[in-house]
Amino acid sequence: MAQVFHYSTNTLARASVVIALVLVGGGLWILLAIGRTSYITQQEVVREQPVPFSHSHHVGGLGIDCRYCHTSVENAAFANVPPTKTCMNCHSQIWTGAPMLEPVRSSFRTGESLEWTRVHDLPDYVYFNHSIHLKKGVGCETCHGRVDQMPLMFQQNSLLMEWCLDCHRNPQQYVRPREELFTMGYKPPNGNQAALGEKLVADYKIQSLTSCSVCHR
Amino acid sequence: MSRAAGLLLLALVSVGCRQDMHDQPKYSPLEKSGFFADRRASRPIPAGSVARGLLKDDTRFHTGMVNNRPITEMPVPVTAELLKRGQERFNIYCVPCHDATGSGEGMIVRRGMKRPTSYHTERLRTAPVGYFYDVITNGYGAMYDYSAQIEPADRWAIVAYIRVLQRAQSGTINDVPPDQVSSIKPAGGSL
C-alpha cells in the first residue's frame, strides 16, 4: 500500500503544534494588552468638561489646598466635586465677565448643576474609600499624580486592579507622613523611602490587605 | 467542531465588552440621574431636615450669638490640639485671601479679590470671638459664607487660631521662653 502522507507531513504536524500555541498565546497576550491600553483604562486621556477648569492654575499657581474644594475627602468614601458656590467664593469678584466662566455663573443663578464629566471612575463592583487611604498615609499625589501640573484633568494611573495591588501588597513603597498628604511634588527625606516606609507602616498600623472582599464586598 | 470553537471565541470576546457590572443600576454620589427632573441622583436636602446627631440646639456653639450679640467667651475648651486644628483649617480655607498672618494680602487678593480687613486692626483685635464665628458662618461683605465647607467645631478652632495670629503680632521678645531666645534672635540685630 502506498503511503498516504508525504514525509514532510511530519514536519508540518510538528510545526502546526507550535503555530497553534503561538496563535493561542499571542491571542491571549493581545487581549491582555488591549485591556491595559489607555483606550480601555482612559489613562492620561483628557475629558471634555463644561468649563476648562485648570488644577494647574488653582493648585500650582494659586496654592489652594485640595480640601478647599474637595471638602469631604478626609471624612468620606467619596471626595466631593465642589458645589458651584465654592467657585463663586472667588469668581463673584474675579473674572466676573469671562465668557469661559458663564456656565459657572449660570449654574449659580439658576441653581442647576454644572454637569462635570467624572475623570476617576472605578467600576461599581469596587469599594473604595478616600478617608481611610488618607488616614493611612496615602497622599493625593500617589494616585492622582501631579495635579498641580495638569491644565486639564486626566487620570494619571491605570486604576487597574494590578495597580491597586501593587500598593496593597507593598504599602511601604508609597506611604508618606500625614503632614505631607496634600503636598504636590513630595520627596521622602534624603530620598530614603525604604526606611521611612517601614517606619510609617508600623506607626500607622498599615496592613497589607489583599483579600478579595476588602474591595469587592 | 469549528462552529463550537467560533462560538466560544465570540462568547469570550463579547463578554469582555459587557459593562453591566462596571455600571450597575445604582447611583454613585453626585451621579447623573435620568429619573429626577433636575438630573441629580444626590437629592437636595429638604428644608428643615436634621441629620441624626446634628441638631443645632446649642445656640452659643452653633451661632456664636446670644440675644443677637456675639459671645465673648469660647464655647469650647481652648487646647493645644484645638489650635493645631485651627491652624490647619485656617491654612486651607482662609489663607487664600487672608494670608498666613491674617493681614489680608492673600494670593486671591493679589489676583483681584476685594482686600479683607486685616485681623490686626483695632476693630478686629477687639472683636468678640462670636463675631468671627458669625462671619465664617454667614459671610461678610465680599466674603461668602463658609458654613458648607467648614464644620462648626472647626470654625471655633479657626476662631481660636485667629486669636493666636493677633497675639503673635503684638508679641515682644519677652514673650519668648528664655531658653529659646537665642534660636530666633537675628545675628547682630535686635528685635
Side-chain angles (χ1 to χ4, degrees), chain A residues 101-142:
Chain A
L101 294 179
E102 180 49 31
V104 179
R105 293 189 295 268
S106 148
S107 162
F108 194 60
R109 272 197 309 272
T110 61
E112 280 177 31
S113 297
L114 270 169
E115 296 188 14
W116 300 100
T117 305
R118 190 163 182 182
V119 175
H120 296 80
D121 195 7
L122 288 174
D124 282 351
Y125 48 77
V126 179
Y127 173 81
F128 178 81
N129 188 316
H130 274 95
S131 65
I132 188 65
H133 284 85
L134 287 173
K135 295 240 165 39
K136 296 294 179 181
V138 182
C140 307
E141 183 189 356
T142 305

Side-chain angles (χ1 to χ4, degrees), chain A residues 9 13 24 26 29-30 52-53 70 78 83-85 100-101 118 136 144 164 170 182 185 197 201 204-205 213 216-217:
Chain A
T9 320
V24 170
W29 182 81
I30 287 172
F53 177 85
H70 305 291
F78 181 69
T84 304
K85 179 179 161 292
M100 204 189 267
L101 294 179
R118 190 163 182 182
K136 296 294 179 181
H144 295 289
C164 299
N170 297 298
F182 302 90
V201 164
Y204 297 165
K205 300 187 173 61
S213 59
H216 306 294
R217 33 174 86 179

Side-chain angles (χ1 to χ4, degrees), chain A residues 61-62 65 67-68 71 74 78 81 85-86 88-90 92-94 111-113 115 123-125, chain B residues 21-24 26 29-30 32 39-40 88-89 92-93 107-108 111 113-114 142 144-146 149:
Chain A
L62 302 175
D65 191 284
R67 292 163 286 183
Y68 185 91
T71 48
E74 291 173 296
F78 181 69
V81 172
K85 179 179 161 292
T86 305
M88 294 303 282
N89 283 353
C90 298
S92 60
Q93 300 242 348
I94 296 177
E112 280 177 31
S113 297
E115 296 188 14
D124 282 351
Y125 48 77
Chain B
M21 290 296 282
H22 268 258
D23 300 313
Q24 296 164 16
K26 66 177 183 186
L30 304 187
K32 191 187 219 171
R39 299 196 294 285
R40 290 172 183 153
E88 185 193 58
R89 298 292 120 175
I92 299 169
Y93 298 106
M107 181 60 97
I108 309 301
R111 300 296 171 97
M113 188 82 185
K114 190 169 181 294
Y144 282 15
D145 74 270
Y146 277 71
Q149 278 159 284

Side-chain angles (χ1 to χ4, degrees), chain A residues 6-24:
Chain A
H6 190 264
Y7 285 130
S8 65
T9 320
N10 285 334
T11 318
L12 254 175
R14 284 188 203 105
S16 66
V17 171
V18 175
I19 290 168
L21 279 175
V22 167
L23 278 181
V24 170

Side-chain angles (χ1 to χ4, degrees), chain A residues 27 36 44 52 63 82 85 87 90 92-93 105 111 123 134 157 175 183 194 207 209 212 215:
Chain A
R36 286 172 174 77
E44 296 178 2
K85 179 179 161 292
C87 309
C90 298
S92 60
Q93 300 242 348
R105 293 189 295 268
L134 287 173
N157 289 295
V175 288
T183 309
Q207 305 171 56
L209 296 177
C212 309
C215 311

